[in-house]
Amino acid sequence: MRKEALSDFASFILRIGLAFVFFYFGLDKFIHLQTNIAIINSFGMSNAFLLTIFYGVAEILVGTFLFLGLFVRLTAVFASVMLAGILLLFWFKLHIFIPRDIGLLATTLFLALNGGGRISLDKFIRFRRIHEHL
């Protein structure tokens, strides 16, 4: 197998795994709505209900876009900002270190810099646009 094909397959696997994590945690915001609202309230933040809904929808959208390979770089940047906010909140409010979120942040930064690879809708759409103009 060629090095480029392996790299594209690795990006695909990374993207699908990360999509699952975001989709899972986004869905969890709605399944355990009251628990998630209570967690946000414990930080002394106002509008816990709206914040929970916003993060739930955002995480589901991030997961969906990553799974499809659509707007991968932009989605990964958005996810990185979300994760950085979560890390800062937990670091400064609870004084704990969150290794899982640091790993997720590194993964989103990788995708933001490298894109989703050739196994993505982004590449398919670009490929079609190029050939439509020929």
Side-chain angles (χ1 to χ4, degrees), residues 103-118:
L104 292 173
L105 179 60
T107 305
T108 57
L109 291 173
F110 173 87
L111 289 174
L113 294 170
N114 291 305
R118 287 185 287 180

Side-chain angles (χ1 to χ4, degrees), residues 79-101:
S80 297
V81 170
M82 287 174 56
L83 286 164
I86 290 168
L87 282 166
L88 290 173
L89 176 71
F90 280 101
W91 180 262
F92 289 117
K93 291 282 188 178
L94 299 178
H95 306 291
I96 59 174
F97 191 69
I98 310 291
R100 177 200 67 204
D101 291 335

Side-chain angles (χ1 to χ4, degrees), residues 53-73:
I53 298 299
F54 171 77
Y55 258 84
V57 169
E59 288 173 339
I60 288 171
L61 288 175
V62 165
T64 301
F65 284 149
L66 288 176
F67 180 80
L68 295 174
L70 192 58
F71 309 116
V72 172
R73 288 180 191 253

Side-chain angles (χ1 to χ4, degrees), residues 22-43 45-61 82 86 89:
F22 272 95
F23 195 84
Y24 174 85
F25 281 108
L27 199 57
D28 181 72
K29 299 282 186 295
F30 295 101
I31 293 171
H32 301 109
L33 184 63
Q34 294 304 322
T35 303
N36 285 294
I37 290 171
I39 291 169
I40 292 175
N41 275 331
S42 73
F43 294 131
M45 300 175 78
S46 60
N47 298 323
F49 175 78
L50 290 176
L51 200 53
T52 302
I53 298 299
F54 171 77
Y55 258 84
V57 169
E59 288 173 339
I60 288 171
L61 288 175
M82 287 174 56
I86 290 168
L89 176 71

Side-chain angles (χ1 to χ4, degrees), residues 1-9 118:
M1 199 177 248
R2 292 187 345 232
K3 185 178 180 181
E4 293 149 356
L6 280 174
S7 178
D8 288 329
F9 187 66
R118 287 185 287 180

